[in-house]
Amino acid sequence: MSYFTHLECSKCGKRFEADRLQTVCDACGKPLFARYDLEAVSEAVSKDDLVGREATMWRYWELLPVKERRNVVSLGEGWTPLTHVRRLGAEIGVPDLWVKDEGIIPTGTFKARGLSMAVSKAKELGVNRLALPSAGNAAGAMTAYGARAGMESYVFMPVDVPKVNAVECQAVGAKVVLVRGLISDCGKIVSQGVEEMGWFPLSTLKEPYRVEGKKTMGLEVAEQMDWELPDVIIYPTGGGTGIIGMWKAFDEMEELGWIGSDRPRMVSVQAEGCAPLPKAFEEGKDESEFWEGAETIAAGLRVPHALGDFLILNAVRESGGTALAVSDEEIMDNVGMLARNEGLFACPEGAATLAGLRRMIADGQVDADERVVLFNTGTGLKYTDLFEVNAPIIDPDEEIDFRGLLGSS
Ligand SMILES: *Cc1c(COP(=O)(O)O)cnc(C)c1O
Ligand SMILES: [Zn+2]
């Protein structure tokens, strides 16, 4: 069973009921966190009880907010591989390097975790119409789980969104509207339609359960590393649900006695063209400012202002980590680096973590004997429009000079 008890504001601590639809705190406007009866959980389950459970994020049932199994809307998300990337690690001078590979998850990105959880909980609370302003992967995940739940989904996207993101929503039967404007314009449109259309919007951190899905990444890293957290975790940050969720998971696991009080240094990587968090980190601020003119090929990082910025900055600082920005050129170089060395075709956001790590190594911020986990948050296969095919073209009946054609000796 689930030991979910209530919701609590992550900023002011105000308490909210668990059994009703909630959005953000009505006192301060900040995100709400799900709280659990951890004492009861620690009596009911041990780490060993997890062995052999289903290979999805739902293995952590007691620490998740869905009360009844029949409300779970799942496509098999989670329990993704944590891969030791030996060749790449040796090449860059950190041999104990690992990639948590979210590229193989349903819908192709880890947005599936958050939206499987949020759609399941929405179903439990009687929602049947979902809505989302999205510039990308969240829409694909929401609409897929919406379809599986038998709900209607409505998505408003900027008109210049990559084709794949509009197509995947349409494929599962969602209503897609393209907006000549920015993601913030799409957000305003969704709010306008909420009352008339009876929508429940699933925007990042504006509903409390996506973060509970992302939290399972922290649980999985701990369990997959035999309950020894790594020295450093590098995470590509947009709205920051992943970093916020993992940080929350670490606290819950400590309270359960599953891990000690040591924490990995949490590193938040953003793109130079949209870097509100590194800026706030460097300036010693607790909150970030809106980033004007946000631009990067890593669409998941194109978030000019994160509602949970104070939570991200807190995790980064408390853990002794850092926040840094990398260029789009570095990102693309590192997509190639990861792919050629390990056969792992990462999304640009995932490659940004490798770019960040290489900068930290160059600056002496990571030691050669440290254990580092990079988060690859999605598959490169969703981003093929960033690449060109660079191959010679031949006719089947022409005489072929193989060595000349292939540039090999
Ligand atoms: C949304 C997204 C991110 C950013 O995730 P947050 O947890 O919201 O910071 C990173 N990578 C990809 C591929 C994404 O779609
Ligand atoms: Zn509050």
Side-chain angles (χ1 to χ4, degrees):
M1 69 182 254
S2 163
Y3 288 83
F4 178 40
T5 53
H6 64 283
L7 291 158
E8 187 183 88
C9 176
S10 57
K11 181 88 180 187
C12 75
K14 185 171 173 183
R15 203 182 156 112
F16 294 81
E17 269 178 60
D19 299 329
R20 300 181 34 190
L21 277 181
Q22 305 282 4
T23 55
V24 291
C25 175
D26 61 7
C28 75
K30 298 296 183 192
L32 303 182
F33 275 172
R35 296 296 182 202
Y36 300 83
D37 182 350
L38 294 174
E39 217 174 287
V41 175
S42 74
E43 279 162 27
V45 257
S46 70
K47 295 185 277 197
D48 293 339
D49 293 331
L50 299 172
V51 177
R53 284 194 181 181
E54 68 185 285
T56 73
M57 68 176 188
W58 298 98
R59 66 197 281 108
Y60 304 109
W61 185 250
E62 290 85 355
L63 296 170
L64 302 177
V66 179
K67 298 251 160 152
E68 307 239 8
R69 277 265 166 189
R70 66 187 159 85
N71 293 322
V72 170
V73 185
S74 173
L75 291 164
E77 52 295 320
W79 202 246
T80 52
L82 182 55
T83 305
H84 190 186
V85 286
R86 283 193 189 78
R87 183 176 301 110
L88 176 62
E91 174 126 355
I92 66 174
V94 179
D96 203 0
L97 180 62
W98 300 70
V99 174
K100 180 73 170 155
D101 188 12
E102 301 282 303
I104 62 150
I105 214 164
T107 74
T109 77
F110 74 154
K111 290 288 192 299
R113 290 183 191 260
L115 284 146
S116 170
M117 191 64 66
V119 171
S120 299
K121 194 63 196 175
K123 180 179 174 197
E124 189 156 80
L125 295 172
V127 170
N128 50 33
R129 282 186 168 186
L130 305 169
L132 192 69
S134 171
N137 297 322
M142 182 192 81
T143 57
Y145 290 100
R148 187 145 166 84
M151 298 182 193
E152 291 172 20
S153 295
Y154 298 81
V155 173
F156 290 78
M157 307 180 128
V159 67
D160 56 359
V161 76
K163 184 177 172 190
V164 61
N165 295 116
V167 168
E168 60 181 340
C169 297
Q170 283 183 343
V172 295
K175 290 237 160 49
V176 178
V177 178
L178 300 176
V179 179
R180 275 193 211 92
L182 304 172
I183 176 75
S184 44
D185 300 310
C186 299
K188 282 179 208 145
I189 293 169
V190 168
S191 330
Q192 282 168 31
V194 163
E195 213 166 302
E196 184 181 336
M197 298 298 294
W199 290 334
F200 186 63
L202 293 182
S203 309
T204 305
L205 293 173
K206 291 193 180 161
E207 69 81 51
Y209 303 111
R210 281 174 64 176
V211 71
E212 292 301 292
K214 295 273 191 89
K215 162 180 109 173
T216 58
M217 297 189 296
L219 289 154
E220 287 178 24
V221 168
E223 189 178 357
Q224 288 172 320
M225 292 196 147
D226 206 15
W227 309 100
E228 281 290 332
L229 294 176
D231 298 303
V232 181
I233 287 181
I234 310 188
Y235 183 81
T237 314
T241 26
I243 219 166
I244 294 167
M246 284 194 276
W247 193 247
K248 182 171 185 285
F250 297 155
D251 284 348
E252 290 173 359
M253 285 189 281
E254 182 179 353
E255 228 175 292
L256 291 171
W258 291 1
I259 60 169
S261 57
D262 284 351
R263 293 287 183 274
R265 305 205 294 286
M266 303 299 282
V267 177
S268 165
V269 176
Q270 293 198 305
E272 283 176 355
C274 182
L277 295 166
K279 180 165 185 279
F281 179 78
E282 268 156 39
E283 292 172 351
K285 303 215 169 104
D286 296 336
E287 296 190 4
S288 62
E289 287 161 38
F290 187 92
W291 188 275
E292 298 290 345
E295 198 169 336
T296 167
I297 53 164
L301 309 185
R302 214 185 292 138
V303 178
H305 183 252
L307 187 63
D309 53 359
F310 66 103
L311 297 165
I312 303 164
L313 289 161
N314 174 61
V316 166
R317 287 208 178 94
E318 251 189 55
S319 68
T322 188
L324 57 95
V326 297
S327 69
D328 280 3
E329 201 185 337
E330 284 173 277
I331 289 175
M332 290 309 281
D333 284 351
N334 283 287
V335 171
M337 179 92 176
L338 195 47
R340 285 191 306 270
N341 276 288
E342 302 289 348
L344 203 159
F345 186 19
C347 60
E349 296 84 349
T353 64
L354 178 57
L357 173 60
R358 289 170 72 189
R359 283 218 187 169
M360 291 177 77
I361 294 169
D363 293 348
Q365 289 179 285
V366 174
D367 292 334
D369 62 351
E370 288 192 297
R371 172 169 284 186
V372 178
V373 172
L374 306 178
F375 266 84
N376 174 41
T377 46
T379 174
L381 294 174
K382 284 189 95 171
Y383 294 80
T384 53
D385 50 352
L386 296 176
F387 298 85
E388 272 166 34
V389 176
N390 179 19
I393 297 176
I394 59 170
D395 290 317
D397 48 5
E398 80 187 60
E399 198 171 320
I400 303 174
D401 163 15
F402 281 105
R403 288 171 201 279
L405 184 70
L406 300 169
S408 59
S409 47

